Amino acid sequence: MKKKNKFGLATRALHVGNEPDPTTGAIIPPIFQTSTYVQAAPGEHKGFEYTRTHNPTRRRLEACLASLENADFCVTTSSGMAATMLIMQALPANSSVLCGDDVYGGTFRLFTTVSNDRHKFNFVDTTDLKKVEKALKEFKPKLVWAETPTNPLLKITDIKGLCDLAKKYGAMVVVDNTFMSPYFQNPLTLGADFVVHSLTKYINGHSDVVGGAIMLNDKKMHEKLYKLQNSIGPCASPFDSWLVLRGVKTLAVRMEAHQKNAMKIATWLEKNANVESVVYPGLKSHPQHKIAQKQMSGFGGMITFFIKGGLKESRQFLKSLTFFSLAESLGGVESLIEHPAIMTHASIPLANRLKIGITDNLIRISVGIEDCDDLLQDLEQAFESTY
Ligand SMILES: *Cc1c(COP(=O)(O)O)cnc(C)c1O
């Protein structure tokens, strides 16, 4: 694999796309909050005509994000789902798509209620490469869509193993890398063709933007995605692009802090008598801990655990917390907690949900960067008020 980046990720997050403003020297590049650009004579312009097509702030963000995923190109979008939609539009009509059976609820909804007009979808457990190979033979997909770790069960797919198999059968691979962020995992270097991110989560990290991105190395495919983005219109706004450029500067220190707190909390929960079991890729008890160690440089900030009891206990526990806000989403600096069966994964039919293992006593935490002792005390008092 050729090494694209001479500098470390923390340096690139600060400097690529963040070069000072050439006209004034302002260390923070301005937001080009404009819809259009004045032309000197018809067709005579500085490379910018209309913001859906080009915007300097968005261009800076795309340069930064491409660099973080070791990619040649990046297309940013108005949401993570818009990024997914662009890839679906880029496939020839009637393509066969093989998708992980435990992907983000919104992805599942898009594939089964919108894009199924255009393509044929089949679902498989991508953590089981034998099943994947069987499905590749049977369905001959053009594209394999994988998410690792999955949400909320944090199941891990061997990215290199999956990509090697997909290549053998002529399929491209997309990895949704939202949960790990480019700081802990780089699927393109493991053989993936596309990486997708919800910028809403760790990359922006401050819970104040909804955005998405696609990173890739194929020039022709980039041109196609860019053309689609300009034609369909789900582009990232200048202000959102600027906020993400600002948020991503601290990605490295945030991810370290998320992980440090998550490791402590997961270990503490595992010893708690009111907890049935804990799922965190950094724990030895995680069934794919070894693969996690091989392909990730850290274990992230997401923890899933099963509380003793059922809906009644889950509700009481979730209501009793102070620093863990009860909310959907993840990856922000503040701790969030949620109940997937009622909240994020409610759109998945009950039978499917139970088959995957999303039960009423399952709780998902997005561990923030608060002082860990305060978080542990908060969890302790919530357990005390529940049992
Ligand atoms: C949130 C999320 C998405 C969708 O992103 P939006 O920005 O909410 O549109 C896709 N994949 C994963 C893993 C996510 O967590």
XYZ file of all heavy atoms in Angstrom, residues 144-183:
310
model
N -21.194 -4.264 -1.901
C -21.445 -4.792 -0.560
C -21.397 -3.606 0.397
O -20.455 -2.800 0.358
C -20.383 -5.837 -0.156
C -20.653 -6.363 1.250
C -20.356 -6.983 -1.163
N -22.422 -3.499 1.249
C -22.508 -2.387 2.201
C -22.289 -2.933 3.605
O -23.060 -3.785 4.066
C -23.897 -1.737 2.122
C -23.965 -0.459 2.900
C -24.108 -0.334 4.251
C -23.857 0.859 2.372
N -24.092 0.996 4.611
C -23.940 1.746 3.470
C -23.694 1.379 1.085
C -23.881 3.127 3.322
C -23.629 2.762 0.936
C -23.726 3.618 2.042
N -21.240 -2.465 4.274
C -20.959 -2.979 5.617
C -20.778 -1.837 6.601
O -20.358 -0.730 6.227
C -19.699 -3.836 5.585
N -21.095 -2.125 7.839
C -20.916 -1.151 8.900
C -20.158 -1.888 9.997
O -20.553 -2.999 10.372
C -22.310 -0.757 9.391
C -22.397 0.549 10.102
C -23.850 0.838 10.461
O -24.707 0.939 9.562
O -24.125 0.939 11.662
N -19.085 -1.324 10.479
C -18.361 -2.004 11.548
C -17.627 -1.003 12.424
O -16.941 -0.154 11.889
C -17.381 -3.074 10.978
O -16.686 -3.692 12.065
C -16.365 -2.529 9.987
N -17.823 -1.051 13.753
C -18.762 -1.896 14.482
C -20.202 -1.498 14.167
O -20.459 -0.355 13.799
C -18.454 -1.604 15.956
C -17.168 -0.852 15.987
C -17.024 -0.201 14.671
N -21.120 -2.442 14.356
C -22.520 -2.142 14.070
C -23.165 -1.411 15.236
O -22.601 -1.293 16.319
C -23.327 -3.417 13.788
O -23.262 -4.258 14.950
C -22.814 -4.145 12.569
N -24.358 -0.955 14.960
C -25.114 -0.106 15.883
C -26.448 -0.790 16.179
O -27.197 -1.006 15.243
C -25.323 1.231 15.168
C -26.239 2.157 15.913
O -26.449 2.005 17.106
N -26.794 3.108 15.192
N -26.798 -1.114 17.372
C -26.086 -0.837 18.623
C -25.295 -2.029 19.155
O -24.741 -1.936 20.247
C -27.258 -0.553 19.577
C -28.327 -1.495 19.128
C -28.152 -1.650 17.640
N -25.206 -3.144 18.414
C -24.624 -4.341 19.026
C -23.108 -4.456 18.871
O -22.500 -5.375 19.391
C -25.353 -5.592 18.511
C -26.768 -5.630 19.125
C -27.699 -6.490 18.314
C -26.728 -6.105 20.563
N -22.524 -3.484 18.171
C -21.066 -3.373 18.085
C -20.412 -4.657 17.586
O -19.343 -5.056 18.048
C -20.481 -2.931 19.443
C -21.109 -1.647 20.015
C -20.582 -1.363 21.414
C -20.836 -0.447 19.118
N -21.098 -5.316 16.628
C -20.523 -6.498 15.994
C -19.459 -6.032 14.997
O -19.630 -5.002 14.331
C -21.596 -7.295 15.249
C -22.588 -7.961 16.199
C -23.371 -9.069 15.510
C -24.278 -8.583 14.418
N -25.079 -9.585 13.756
N -18.382 -6.789 14.893
C -17.251 -6.342 14.076
C -17.032 -7.249 12.871
O -17.009 -8.475 13.001
C -15.993 -6.233 14.959
C -16.205 -5.053 15.923
C -14.742 -6.045 14.124
C -15.193 -4.930 16.994
N -16.920 -6.604 11.709
C -16.643 -7.337 10.473
C -15.159 -7.207 10.152
O -14.591 -6.114 10.286
C -17.473 -6.724 9.312
O -18.851 -7.003 9.562
C -17.082 -7.315 7.969
N -14.554 -8.298 9.712
C -13.165 -8.285 9.270
C -13.124 -7.560 7.912
O -13.485 -8.125 6.873
C -12.688 -9.739 9.154
C -11.283 -9.844 8.593
O -10.751 -8.841 8.078
O -10.721 -10.949 8.670
N -12.716 -6.289 7.921
C -12.820 -5.461 6.705
C -11.949 -6.020 5.577
O -12.401 -6.145 4.436
C -12.429 -3.990 6.996
C -13.386 -3.387 8.032
C -12.456 -3.158 5.716
C -13.020 -1.979 8.472
N -10.717 -6.392 5.904
C -9.818 -6.875 4.842
C -10.352 -8.198 4.276
O -10.396 -8.394 3.057
C -8.401 -7.042 5.383
C -7.450 -7.439 4.283
C -5.998 -7.277 4.648
C -5.105 -7.608 3.464
N -5.421 -8.895 2.827
N -10.808 -9.075 5.171
C -11.371 -10.361 4.733
C -12.569 -10.142 3.814
O -12.699 -10.778 2.762
N -13.430 -9.204 4.205
C -14.628 -8.913 3.407
C -14.241 -8.345 2.040
O -14.802 -8.744 1.005
C -15.519 -7.916 4.164
C -16.785 -7.477 3.438
C -17.833 -8.594 3.473
C -17.375 -6.205 4.049
N -13.289 -7.415 2.023
C -12.900 -6.768 0.765
C -12.218 -7.764 -0.172
O -12.464 -7.739 -1.383
C -11.980 -5.580 1.035
S -12.827 -4.247 1.906
N -11.372 -8.641 0.378
C -10.714 -9.657 -0.458
C -11.754 -10.546 -1.129
O -11.673 -10.832 -2.326
C -9.758 -10.513 0.383
C -8.512 -9.726 0.800
O -8.313 -8.612 0.263
O -7.763 -10.221 1.663
N -12.750 -10.962 -0.328
C -13.815 -11.814 -0.874
C -14.614 -11.083 -1.948
O -14.864 -11.608 -3.034
C -14.785 -12.201 0.241
C -14.627 -13.549 0.916
C -15.773 -13.747 1.896
C -14.595 -14.675 -0.109
N -15.020 -9.855 -1.635
C -15.841 -9.075 -2.571
C -15.101 -8.899 -3.899
O -15.691 -9.028 -4.973
C -16.191 -7.718 -1.957
N -13.792 -8.603 -3.806
C -12.986 -8.426 -5.036
C -13.006 -9.692 -5.879
O -13.164 -9.639 -7.099
C -11.542 -8.088 -4.671
C -11.438 -6.639 -4.395
C -10.193 -5.909 -4.693
C -10.486 -4.470 -4.361
N -10.457 -4.199 -2.918
N -12.873 -10.833 -5.191
C -12.860 -12.119 -5.897
C -14.138 -12.289 -6.725
O -14.123 -12.877 -7.798
C -12.742 -13.218 -4.837
C -12.425 -14.585 -5.378
C -12.104 -15.546 -4.227
C -12.710 -16.913 -4.501
N -12.732 -17.750 -3.308
N -15.247 -11.763 -6.200
C -16.526 -11.921 -6.900
C -16.952 -10.640 -7.631
O -18.115 -10.487 -8.020
C -17.613 -12.384 -5.920
C -17.370 -13.789 -5.434
C -16.648 -14.025 -4.275
C -17.831 -14.880 -6.164
C -16.389 -15.322 -3.841
C -17.586 -16.176 -5.742
C -16.861 -16.388 -4.581
O -16.617 -17.671 -4.168
N -16.019 -9.714 -7.793
C -16.278 -8.526 -8.603
C -17.212 -7.490 -7.987
O -17.852 -6.721 -8.719
N -17.293 -7.450 -6.664
C -18.164 -6.453 -6.029
C -17.338 -5.351 -5.364
O -16.239 -5.599 -4.874
C -19.046 -7.129 -4.980
N -17.874 -4.139 -5.380
C -17.245 -3.031 -4.648
C -17.727 -3.077 -3.196
O -18.778 -3.659 -2.902
C -17.660 -1.692 -5.258
C -17.217 -1.491 -6.698
S -17.631 0.160 -7.299
C -19.408 0.046 -7.456
N -16.943 -2.446 -2.300
C -17.312 -2.454 -0.880
C -17.393 -1.024 -0.344
O -16.507 -0.213 -0.582
C -16.285 -3.254 -0.039
C -16.613 -3.170 1.450
C -16.231 -4.710 -0.494
N -18.481 -0.757 0.369
C -18.621 0.489 1.126
C -18.510 0.139 2.604
O -19.147 -0.808 3.055
C -20.021 1.113 0.942
C -20.146 2.397 1.761
C -20.326 1.391 -0.508
N -17.727 0.884 3.356
C -17.746 0.720 4.810
C -18.234 2.025 5.437
O -17.684 3.094 5.180
C -16.358 0.336 5.378
C -16.394 0.296 6.903
C -15.910 -1.013 4.833
N -19.290 1.925 6.224
C -19.762 3.053 7.023
C -18.859 3.098 8.257
O -18.929 2.221 9.121
C -21.235 2.836 7.400
C -21.813 3.993 8.203
O -21.036 4.698 8.880
O -23.050 4.179 8.164
N -18.007 4.116 8.315
C -16.968 4.199 9.348
C -17.324 5.208 10.444
O -16.462 5.700 11.163
C -15.639 4.598 8.666
C -14.422 4.299 9.513
O -14.446 3.402 10.350
N -13.358 5.059 9.307
N -18.614 5.532 10.541
C -19.071 6.563 11.469
C -18.650 6.286 12.919
O -18.222 7.193 13.628
C -20.609 6.672 11.398
O -20.967 7.022 10.063
C -21.146 7.704 12.348
N -18.773 5.022 13.350
C -18.549 4.725 14.779
C -17.084 4.855 15.198
O -16.804 5.200 16.329
C -19.065 3.314 15.114
C -20.476 3.302 15.617
C -21.433 4.122 15.043
C -20.859 2.487 16.671
C -22.731 4.128 15.498
C -22.166 2.485 17.139
C -23.107 3.304 16.557
N -16.168 4.547 14.292
C -14.749 4.581 14.672
C -14.108 5.918 14.368
O -13.117 6.299 14.995
C -13.984 3.470 13.944
C -14.111 2.130 14.609
S -13.533 2.166 16.310
C -15.073 2.024 17.176
N -14.647 6.632 13.356
C -14.027 7.864 12.854
C -12.691 7.505 12.206
O -12.124 6.448 12.484
C -13.805 8.912 13.962
O -12.523 8.786 14.556
N -12.172 8.398 11.360
C -10.883 8.083 10.702
C -9.737 7.964 11.702
O -8.669 7.484 11.357
C -10.653 9.269 9.771
C -11.836 10.143 9.859
C -12.747 9.670 10.921
N -9.954 8.383 12.925
C -8.866 8.318 13.912
C -8.546 6.872 14.309
O -7.392 6.520 14.500
C -9.236 9.144 15.158
C -8.105 9.190 16.165
C -6.923 9.883 15.878
C -8.197 8.526 17.385
C -5.876 9.917 16.781
C -7.146 8.558 18.294
C -5.990 9.248 17.987
O -4.946 9.269 18.879
